[in-house]
Amino acid sequence: MMAELAGWIAPIATMIAAMMTAANLGARITGWGFVVFCIGSVAWTTVGLTSGQTNLVLSNAFLTVVNIVGVWRWLGRQASYDKGSSAAEDASARHAVPSLYAAGGVVGTRLTGPDDEAIGTVVDAMLNCRDNAVAYVVVSTGGVGGVGETLHALAPGELMFGKDGVRTKLTADAIKAKPAVQAEHWPEAL
């Protein structure tokens, strides 16, 4: 009974965890993906023990340790960093200082347009080494899962960073009218 249950849990947990971590939906989802990976690797170890497969036991015992490190990394350490940056954002909004936005939260953030429409996703931001300011932000539009997407570079003045994410006054058509950026060759300047 335990072997049969573990035989079902192991592949299901492994597939769910793989999707959770591959989706890169933030530290919390990635961390919970590693929790699910732990369940899967323990189930695979059980399958190995009940079927006499030493190689399955050894490899998944090792993967359980790796997954525990992933849980600590994403639900422990990274979660505390996220709380710290969120606290700084909140405090800056309530006090007479320039508002702050966590740079780590930029990549993967949905870009919304003037009518709260989802226009694209922030891919990365390039910083100017001379004054440490944002030189430009690259956003992807269109496509599914990166296939068929088009990249565009936006100037910092075209973006607004805030508690609700990254916004622009540009419409989807205005962004699409901008020159496309090649995935392997981004501009040295706008």
Side-chain angles (χ1 to χ4, degrees), residues 26-28 74 77-87:
R28 190 163 311 284
W74 292 103
R77 192 179 81 178
Q78 189 62 43
S80 68
Y81 295 162
D82 291 348
K83 284 180 184 175
S85 65
S86 182

Side-chain angles (χ1 to χ4, degrees), residues 141-161:
T141 59
V144 175
V147 177
E149 73 182 357
T150 304
L151 301 178
H152 301 280
L154 301 180
E158 297 172 313
L159 301 168
M160 294 159 284
F161 300 91

